[in-house]
Amino acid sequence: KVVRNESVLEVWKKFRRDEKLFRSEVHGQSVITRYGIKPRNYQITGISFDKNPNNTFMKGDKEISFGEYLRVTYGKHVTDFKQPLLESDLKRRDGTFQLIYII
């Protein structure tokens, strides 16, 4: 298995003008998030070009942006608010899948 030492953000900056090429570079690839208690591995199943870190979701009864959630929860700051969100199908313990978004 080949491991790239390049972040998805770096790939995005190279190919941001060509969504098709960016998609072909990252779709199906595994990425490691370096925040949280321990690094986690995710397989990219899609790219949401219509979503970015400014988009919001419901966390309990409160609406929060993806970027704000990353900052508050993990102390990480988004540097490019125009980057698309990555999609991954997370397998739950009960065997079902949940679509999650990754910055």
Side-chain angles (χ1 to χ4, degrees):
K1 200 172 207 183
V2 176
V3 178
R4 292 169 79 161
N5 197 23
E6 185 176 38
S7 73
V8 176
L9 181 59
E10 291 168 331
V11 176
W12 167 245
K13 287 178 180 179
K14 276 198 282 190
F15 299 116
R16 70 182 337 146
R17 302 220 189 288
D18 190 338
E19 290 180 3
K20 187 176 179 181
L21 190 55
F22 175 70
R23 180 178 278 115
S24 71
E25 282 287 314
V26 299
H27 188 270
Q29 299 294 314
S30 291
V31 296
I32 299 171
T33 57
R34 299 186 190 277
Y35 46 82
I37 296 171
K38 63 179 182 174
R40 289 198 58 178
N41 186 42
Y42 298 94
Q43 182 173 12
I44 300 172
T45 57
I47 297 123
S48 288
F49 290 103
D50 61 333
K51 292 186 179 2
N52 62 52
N54 288 318
N55 285 93
T56 60
F57 66 98
M58 293 303 292
K59 177 76 174 148
D61 61 349
K62 185 179 177 185
E63 189 173 24
I64 189 168
S65 74
F66 289 97
E68 182 71 6
Y69 177 80
L70 192 70
R71 186 186 67 74
V72 169
T73 307
Y74 301 110
K76 300 290 183 179
H77 298 274
V78 175
T79 58
D80 184 347
F81 284 90
K82 293 183 180 180
Q83 67 181 303
L85 299 184
L86 306 175
E87 299 174 356
S88 183
D89 294 317
L90 182 65
K91 188 173 183 179
R92 294 177 162 189
R93 289 187 178 127
D94 65 3
T96 61
F97 288 90
Q98 176 185 7
L99 176 66
I100 62 167
Y101 294 100
I102 303 166
I103 297 178

